[in-house]
Amino acid sequence: MDPLAGLLEGPRARGAFMIRACFDPPWAVRVEDRAPLTVMLMVRGDAWIVPDTGEPARLRAGDLAIARGPDPYTCGDDPATAAQAVILPGGECRYPDGRPLSGRMDLGVRTWGDRLDGAAVMLIGTYLWQGEISGRLLDALPPLLSLTSDVWNCPLTPLLMEEIVRDEPGQEVVLDRLLDLLVIAALRAWFSRPEAAAPAWYRAQADPVVGRVLRLLQDEPGRPWTVASLAAEAGVSRAALARRFTELVGEPPMTYLTGWRLALAADRLRDSEDTLEAIARHIGYGSAFALSNAFKRVYGVSPQEHRTRGRVVGVGVGV
């Protein structure tokens, strides 16, 4: 498995929130939904995404932004425009003074805002809960990233525009898969840019020694690896491997392996009905007890608690 494929396996929307937002200036919406990941694709006009901390991003037609939660941000026609609505956890929409909007901005199927032919049109997709996005992917992303239309081309836009307003059987599944494809396409473009702040382990894939070791660990996490066996595979000494790996990745090989194994366990607990014993064997732990102890030490909850949380849809939907 190549590193980018491994990283992008994560997005798996399940009943994700998708909407077409249509506004006339001046407009602004405050987003405090604490959603783990929200994608904003500008179809017409322009907008500003203004996080509480960090630099704002301007979107023009064809541009895209991805906001990593749970930090709040504001979308609007201008950074100085005061918010006219606030989006809270659970999809609750209120005026800034706390009064409920009560559907006053609903414009039809998955459409929201001022009027259908508004000057600004944005497609918004929000992953509702943490389990839909792998922790490794979220950790690799900045709080806000943006891609301009001159560095990426999205063939999905016409299809999204058509599908987002349909109300047919199975439409939720169609939109979930389109959202996943949109995120994967955007992140693939973003990670390919030299200025992208990709994680150290991702950049280290280019190293002939460390890159080979990383691929071995990612492809065969269940093997009983040691620094010595990894060094032998890479054709270097144990000391040389340990030094070079730590320098490029930021942690020793066996620490990285532990994190990778537990990340795989977390995803498998979320996405399968496999027993803890089966998962432990697959990723290289001798027993369910050993895996459970390691998992709780790193994640702060037991594997069963993690699995249970992953089956309950959390709060937060987006604009």
Side-chain angles (χ1 to χ4, degrees):
M1 180 187 298
D2 71 79
L4 186 57
L7 192 66
L8 297 182
E9 276 190 321
R12 295 186 186 92
R14 299 171 185 168
F17 181 83
M18 292 197 71
I19 200 167
R20 180 179 62 162
C22 310
F23 293 105
D24 285 323
W27 65 274
V29 177
R30 173 78 172 167
V31 181
E32 298 179 356
D33 61 4
R34 302 188 63 81
L37 199 74
T38 298
V39 186
M40 292 158 277
L41 176 60
M42 206 72 207
V43 176
R44 184 167 70 232
D46 57 77
W48 285 87
I49 314 299
V50 184
D52 283 10
T53 58
E55 294 298 317
R58 185 173 187 178
L59 301 184
R60 296 179 174 87
D63 296 351
L64 174 143
I66 295 179
R68 172 174 60 82
D71 294 340
Y73 54 93
T74 300
C75 301
D77 69 300
D78 186 276
T81 301
Q84 299 154 337
V86 180
I87 309 300
L88 300 169
E92 183 181 2
C93 303
R94 291 187 172 271
Y95 288 107
D97 63 7
R99 290 177 295 128
L101 272 167
S102 302
R104 287 187 176 87
M105 299 180 74
D106 291 346
L107 298 175
V109 177
R110 300 186 192 90
T111 305
W112 192 77
D114 297 328
R115 60 187 178 95
L116 288 173
D117 56 348
V121 176
M122 179 188 290
L123 302 183
I124 301 167
T126 300
Y127 289 83
L128 297 173
W129 52 295
Q130 183 89 16
E132 296 174 317
I133 300 286
S134 73
R136 294 178 77 248
L137 177 55
L138 290 175
D139 290 344
L141 300 179
L144 178 66
L145 68 88
S146 61
L147 289 167
T148 56
S149 59
D150 61 334
V151 298
W152 92 301
N153 180 35
C154 182
L156 296 171
T157 302
L159 184 57
L160 280 165
M161 282 288 288
E162 179 181 342
E163 293 290 341
I164 201 167
V165 294
R166 288 194 178 193
D167 188 15
E168 298 181 6
Q171 194 63 19
E172 186 177 274
V173 176
V174 171
L175 292 174
D176 283 350
R177 297 293 74 79
L178 286 174
L179 177 58
D180 290 342
L181 288 172
L182 178 63
V183 171
I184 290 170
L187 293 180
R188 185 169 60 182
W190 184 76
F191 276 116
S192 70
R193 301 169 65 192
E195 65 271 28
W201 61 264
Y202 181 85
R203 298 192 302 270
Q205 296 282 342
D207 183 82
V209 172
V210 176
R212 173 167 172 73
V213 169
L214 283 168
R215 286 187 288 275
L216 286 169
L217 297 178
Q218 290 164 354
D219 291 345
E220 302 179 76
R223 282 181 59 176
W225 292 112
T226 64
V227 175
S229 63
L230 288 170
E233 291 278 359
V236 296
S237 69
R238 286 180 295 175
L241 174 60
R243 181 174 60 253
R244 190 171 187 83
F245 193 101
T246 303
E247 176 185 331
L248 294 181
V249 179
E251 58 187 356
M254 303 314 290
T255 303
Y256 175 87
L257 176 59
T258 296
W260 174 236
R261 284 172 167 171
L262 294 178
L264 291 174
D267 285 351
R268 199 152 177 173
L269 285 164
R270 176 193 69 189
D271 297 327
S272 78
E273 299 295 337
D274 292 349
T275 65
L276 192 59
E277 190 70 40
I279 295 173
R281 289 196 303 271
H282 177 74
I283 63 172
Y285 277 86
S287 67
F289 180 75
L291 172 57
S292 182
N293 282 342
F295 194 94
K296 190 166 186 177
R297 184 169 59 251
V298 171
Y299 285 87
V301 297
S302 70
Q304 184 56 48
E305 289 174 304
H306 175 83
R307 171 170 272 170
T308 300
R309 290 181 182 181
R311 303 294 164 84
V312 179
V313 176
V315 296
V317 293
V319 178

